Amino acid sequence: DNVLVFEPYVYDGALQSINNFYFVLLNDTIHFKGVFQNMGAADILSFQFDWSVNDGATYSQTFSGSTIAPLDTFGFTHNTPWIPLTQESFEIKVWIAEVNGMADQNPANDTLKINVINAVSSKPERIVLLEVFGANWCTICPHGGATIAEIKDSIDNLIPVVYHIEDP
Protein backbone atom coordinates (compact mmCIF):
# COMPACT_ATOMS: atom_id res chain seq x y z
CA ASP A 1 0.00 0.00 0.00
CA ASN A 2 1.41 3.40 -1.04
CA VAL A 3 4.68 1.89 -2.26
CA LEU A 4 6.44 3.24 -5.30
CA VAL A 5 8.94 0.98 -7.02
CA PHE A 6 11.24 2.59 -9.55
CA GLU A 7 14.73 2.33 -10.92
CA PRO A 8 16.79 5.40 -9.97
CA TYR A 9 18.88 7.29 -12.47
CA VAL A 10 22.55 6.31 -12.42
CA TYR A 11 23.77 9.93 -12.13
CA ASP A 12 21.28 12.29 -10.50
CA GLY A 13 22.54 15.22 -8.48
CA ALA A 14 19.97 17.38 -6.72
CA LEU A 15 20.34 20.90 -5.40
CA GLN A 16 18.57 20.55 -2.04
CA SER A 17 19.06 24.05 -0.65
CA ILE A 18 20.81 27.37 -1.20
CA ASN A 19 21.19 30.32 1.15
CA ASN A 20 18.32 32.71 0.61
CA PHE A 21 18.01 36.43 1.26
CA TYR A 22 15.34 39.01 0.48
CA PHE A 23 17.55 42.06 0.93
CA VAL A 24 21.27 42.49 0.30
CA LEU A 25 23.64 45.38 0.89
CA LEU A 26 24.95 47.32 -2.08
CA ASN A 27 28.62 46.51 -2.79
CA ASP A 28 28.54 43.63 -0.29
CA THR A 29 30.19 40.29 -1.07
CA ILE A 30 27.56 37.54 -1.31
CA HIS A 31 28.69 33.90 -1.34
CA PHE A 32 26.31 31.19 -2.52
CA LYS A 33 26.24 28.27 -0.08
CA GLY A 34 24.20 25.17 -0.69
CA VAL A 35 23.60 21.49 -0.14
CA PHE A 36 24.02 18.98 -2.98
CA GLN A 37 22.53 15.48 -2.70
CA ASN A 38 23.30 12.36 -4.70
CA MET A 39 19.90 11.00 -5.73
CA GLY A 40 21.36 8.50 -8.21
CA ALA A 41 22.46 4.89 -7.94
CA ALA A 42 26.22 5.48 -8.46
CA ASP A 43 28.83 7.44 -6.50
CA ILE A 44 29.35 11.04 -7.60
CA LEU A 45 32.97 12.15 -7.77
CA SER A 46 32.39 15.66 -9.12
CA PHE A 47 29.62 18.12 -9.91
CA GLN A 48 29.47 21.55 -11.51
CA PHE A 49 27.47 24.28 -9.76
CA ASP A 50 26.48 27.39 -11.76
CA TRP A 51 24.75 30.66 -10.94
CA SER A 52 23.59 33.77 -12.79
CA VAL A 53 21.83 37.01 -11.89
CA ASN A 54 18.94 38.30 -14.03
CA ASP A 55 19.88 35.81 -16.80
CA GLY A 56 23.29 37.46 -17.14
CA ALA A 57 26.75 35.90 -17.13
CA THR A 58 27.07 32.36 -15.79
CA TYR A 59 29.64 31.60 -13.09
CA SER A 60 30.68 27.95 -12.81
CA GLN A 61 32.67 25.94 -10.31
CA THR A 62 33.40 22.23 -10.32
CA PHE A 63 33.55 20.48 -6.96
CA SER A 64 35.62 17.30 -6.86
CA GLY A 65 37.89 15.35 -4.53
CA SER A 66 35.09 13.80 -2.47
CA THR A 67 33.06 10.68 -3.11
CA ILE A 68 29.36 11.35 -2.57
CA ALA A 69 27.57 8.02 -2.10
CA PRO A 70 23.92 7.55 -3.08
CA LEU A 71 21.60 9.63 -0.85
CA ASP A 72 24.57 11.39 0.83
CA THR A 73 24.74 15.19 0.93
CA PHE A 74 27.61 17.60 0.39
CA GLY A 75 27.71 21.21 1.64
CA PHE A 76 29.50 23.68 -0.62
CA THR A 77 30.29 27.36 -1.17
CA HIS A 78 30.84 28.78 -4.66
CA ASN A 79 34.20 30.55 -4.88
CA THR A 80 32.94 33.40 -7.12
CA PRO A 81 30.94 35.88 -5.05
CA TRP A 82 28.19 38.16 -6.27
CA ILE A 83 28.50 41.90 -5.56
CA PRO A 84 25.23 43.81 -6.13
CA LEU A 85 26.09 47.20 -7.63
CA THR A 86 22.64 48.71 -8.23
CA GLN A 87 19.60 49.26 -6.06
CA GLU A 88 16.98 47.02 -7.69
CA SER A 89 15.37 43.60 -7.43
CA PHE A 90 17.25 40.55 -8.67
CA GLU A 91 16.37 37.03 -9.77
CA ILE A 92 19.23 34.66 -9.09
CA LYS A 93 19.22 31.24 -10.73
CA VAL A 94 21.44 28.50 -9.27
CA TRP A 95 21.74 25.02 -10.75
CA ILE A 96 23.70 21.81 -11.11
CA ALA A 97 25.11 21.71 -14.64
CA GLU A 98 27.09 18.47 -14.67
CA VAL A 99 27.55 15.33 -12.61
CA ASN A 100 30.77 13.33 -13.06
CA GLY A 101 31.55 15.42 -16.16
CA MET A 102 28.24 14.60 -17.88
CA ALA A 103 24.81 16.17 -18.08
CA ASP A 104 22.63 15.26 -15.11
CA GLN A 105 20.17 12.51 -16.09
CA ASN A 106 17.31 14.12 -14.11
CA PRO A 107 17.31 17.91 -14.57
CA ALA A 108 14.00 18.30 -12.68
CA ASN A 109 15.76 18.66 -9.30
CA ASP A 110 18.79 20.69 -10.39
CA THR A 111 17.62 24.34 -10.26
CA LEU A 112 16.60 26.78 -7.53
CA LYS A 113 15.80 30.49 -7.75
CA ILE A 114 16.38 33.28 -5.27
CA ASN A 115 14.29 36.43 -5.55
CA VAL A 116 16.05 39.37 -3.94
CA ILE A 117 13.51 42.12 -3.29
CA ASN A 118 16.10 44.89 -3.27
CA ALA A 119 19.72 45.82 -2.76
CA VAL A 120 19.81 48.46 -0.05
CA SER A 121 22.43 51.00 0.97
CA SER A 122 22.26 50.24 4.70
CA LYS A 123 20.75 47.82 7.17
CA PRO A 124 18.84 49.20 10.16
CA GLU A 125 20.27 48.56 13.58
CA ARG A 126 18.16 46.00 15.39
CA ILE A 127 17.37 46.32 19.06
CA VAL A 128 16.04 43.47 21.19
CA LEU A 129 13.05 44.24 23.41
CA LEU A 130 12.82 42.06 26.54
CA GLU A 131 9.41 42.24 28.19
CA VAL A 132 9.13 40.85 31.72
CA PHE A 133 5.89 40.55 33.66
CA GLY A 134 6.24 40.32 37.41
CA ALA A 135 4.91 41.32 40.80
CA ASN A 136 6.29 41.61 44.31
CA TRP A 137 3.77 39.04 45.59
CA CYS A 138 5.24 36.42 43.21
CA THR A 139 7.78 34.23 45.02
CA ILE A 140 10.24 34.05 42.10
CA CYS A 141 9.67 37.50 40.56
CA PRO A 142 11.87 39.51 42.97
CA HIS A 143 14.85 37.57 41.58
CA GLY A 144 13.95 38.69 38.07
CA GLY A 145 16.16 41.78 38.33
CA ALA A 146 19.29 39.66 38.65
CA THR A 147 18.24 37.49 35.70
CA ILE A 148 17.51 40.56 33.57
CA ALA A 149 20.97 41.95 34.43
CA GLU A 150 22.60 38.67 33.29
CA ILE A 151 20.68 38.76 30.01
CA LYS A 152 21.48 42.45 29.47
CA ASP A 153 25.21 41.76 29.97
CA SER A 154 25.15 38.99 27.34
CA ILE A 155 23.15 40.73 24.57
CA ASP A 156 24.06 43.95 22.81
CA ASN A 157 21.30 46.48 22.03
CA LEU A 158 18.84 45.15 24.63
CA ILE A 159 15.99 47.21 26.06
CA PRO A 160 14.47 45.53 29.12
CA VAL A 161 10.93 46.51 30.11
CA VAL A 162 9.37 45.25 33.34
CA TYR A 163 5.61 45.34 33.93
CA HIS A 164 4.59 45.10 37.58
CA ILE A 165 1.12 43.67 38.01
CA GLU A 166 -1.14 44.52 40.97
CA ASP A 167 1.70 45.95 43.05
CA PRO A 168 0.82 48.55 45.69
Side-chain angles (χ1 to χ4, degrees):
D1 190 0
N2 295 329
V3 175
L4 176 64
V5 178
F6 68 96
E7 184 176 346
Y9 294 97
V10 176
Y11 297 113
D12 179 14
L15 189 55
Q16 293 297 351
S17 66
I18 195 76
N19 55 332
N20 200 354
F21 25 77
Y22 297 109
F23 294 93
V24 294
L25 279 174
L26 283 172
N27 302 310
D28 197 12
T29 302
I30 311 294
H31 291 278
F32 296 108
K33 299 175 184 180
V35 175
F36 171 88
Q37 185 170 18
N38 181 356
M39 300 298 287
D43 288 348
I44 293 178
L45 305 175
S46 68
F47 68 94
Q48 180 181 319
F49 173 69
D50 294 352
W51 64 267
S52 71
V53 176
N54 294 341
D55 291 321
T58 298
Y59 299 91
S60 300
Q61 181 178 351
T62 299
F63 293 88
S64 60
S66 296
T67 300
I68 307 168
L71 300 179
D72 277 355
T73 59
F74 178 82
F76 64 91
T77 301
H78 199 287
N79 63 6
T80 304
W82 170 51
I83 301 174
L85 301 175
T86 57
Q87 192 167 354
E88 63 179 291
S89 60
F90 299 94
E91 182 181 84
I92 302 167
K93 178 181 166 187
V94 295
W95 68 97
I96 302 300
E98 292 182 354
V99 174
N100 286 350
M102 301 177 294
D104 191 313
Q105 293 175 321
N106 179 18
N109 57 9
D110 293 349
T111 304
L112 295 175
K113 291 189 178 178
I114 303 167
N115 291 305
V116 177
I117 294 172
N118 204 347
V120 295
S121 58
S122 65
K123 285 185 181 177
E125 179 182 356
R126 294 185 178 243
I127 298 174
V128 177
L129 176 64
L130 173 64
E131 294 181 291
V132 180
F133 294 88
N136 286 335
W137 50 263
C138 174
T139 58
I140 60 170
C141 291
H143 303 291
T147 303
I148 292 169
E150 286 179 30
I151 295 170
K152 187 163 176 40
D153 290 342
S154 66
I155 298 175
D156 293 332
N157 299 327
L158 177 75
I159 299 174
V161 177
V162 179
Y163 297 97
H164 285 277
I165 302 169
E166 297 179 9
D167 281 342

